[in-house]
């Protein structure tokens, strides 16, 4: 599996970052730039898990994954692929959210996806070659949108 680890810092407190990652409301695609609204679907949300479909528009089409989100660890949110048109089941992304010295958050991202299609191989190559720049860039944009919303 191609794997990349990166760290993003945010002025938002850890609880706000966690709540943003776990907001499975209809407005989720407005907060997170990588989510293409027509592909977003929530199947089930429990106390420490959710099953959803998310996807993105890419040149030539769309990529999507049915993901199982797990936040049973209070510091970590992990989303694992159950079914996808671009990567293998078991592929995952995790975000470990801890307090930063600045009063904000330090988010340690682990991106670990096995591509299964041409679009997946291209995406994986770009993510690995840039040390996760598309992943961290999308996370930073989403965090900026959460900052702009203000306290919930």
């Amino acid at each position: 599996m191609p794997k990349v680890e990166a760290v993003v810092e945010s002025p938002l407190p850890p609880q706000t970052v966690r709540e943003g990652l776990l907001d499975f409301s209809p407005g989720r695609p407005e907060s997170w730039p990588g989510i293409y609204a027509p592909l977003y679907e929530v199947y089930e949300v429990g106390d420490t898990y959710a099953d959803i479909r998310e996807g993105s528009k890419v040149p030539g089409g769309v990529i999507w994954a049915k993901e199982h989100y797990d936040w049973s660890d209070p510091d970590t949110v992990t989303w694992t692929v159950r079914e996808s048109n671009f990567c293998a089941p078991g592929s995952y992304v995790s975000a470990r959210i801890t307090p930063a010295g600045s009063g904000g958050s330090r988010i340690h991202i682990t991106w670990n996806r096995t591509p299964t299609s041409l679009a997946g191989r291209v995406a994986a190559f770009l993510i690995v070659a840039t040390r996760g720049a598309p992943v961290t860039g999308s996370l930073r944009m989403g965090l900026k949108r959460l900052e702009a919303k203000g306290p919930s």
Side-chain angles (χ1 to χ4, degrees):
M1 264 190 228
K3 181 178 179 181
V4 172
E5 296 188 47
V7 173
V8 172
E9 293 213 1
S10 169
L12 296 168
Q15 187 59 31
T16 303
V17 173
R18 181 181 164 90
E19 288 169 1
L21 286 173
L22 300 177
D23 173 9
F24 299 111
S25 72
R28 183 176 178 80
E30 295 166 18
S31 295
W32 299 103
I35 299 174
Y36 181 48
L39 294 175
Y40 177 63
E41 187 172 353
V42 177
Y43 301 109
E44 183 176 4
V45 178
D47 291 338
T48 61
Y49 73 92
D51 291 312
I52 66 169
R53 181 181 64 186
E54 295 175 316
S56 299
K57 243 182 144 169
V58 296
V62 295
I63 57 173
W64 58 267
K66 290 182 180 177
E67 308 264 14
H68 178 77
Y69 276 73
D70 179 318
W71 58 91
S72 55
D73 174 335
D75 295 330
T76 305
V77 177
T78 300
W79 47 108
T80 304
V81 173
R82 297 292 173 102
E83 181 182 345
S84 173
N85 73 339
F86 77 98
C87 64
S91 298
Y92 69 92
V93 178
S94 70
R96 181 164 177 77
I97 309 155
T98 56
S102 63
S105 299
R106 181 178 190 274
I107 304 113
H108 180 258
I109 296 289
T110 302
W111 183 92
N112 200 352
R113 302 264 189 186
T114 300
T116 58
S117 68
L118 178 59
R121 287 190 292 280
V122 169
F125 173 80
L126 291 172
I127 289 167
V128 171
T130 63
R131 297 187 181 131
V135 175
T136 59
S138 180
L139 177 61
R140 283 187 182 100
M141 286 174 51
L143 293 169
K144 290 285 184 200
R145 290 176 182 181
L146 290 175
E147 285 177 50
K149 282 183 180 181
S152 47

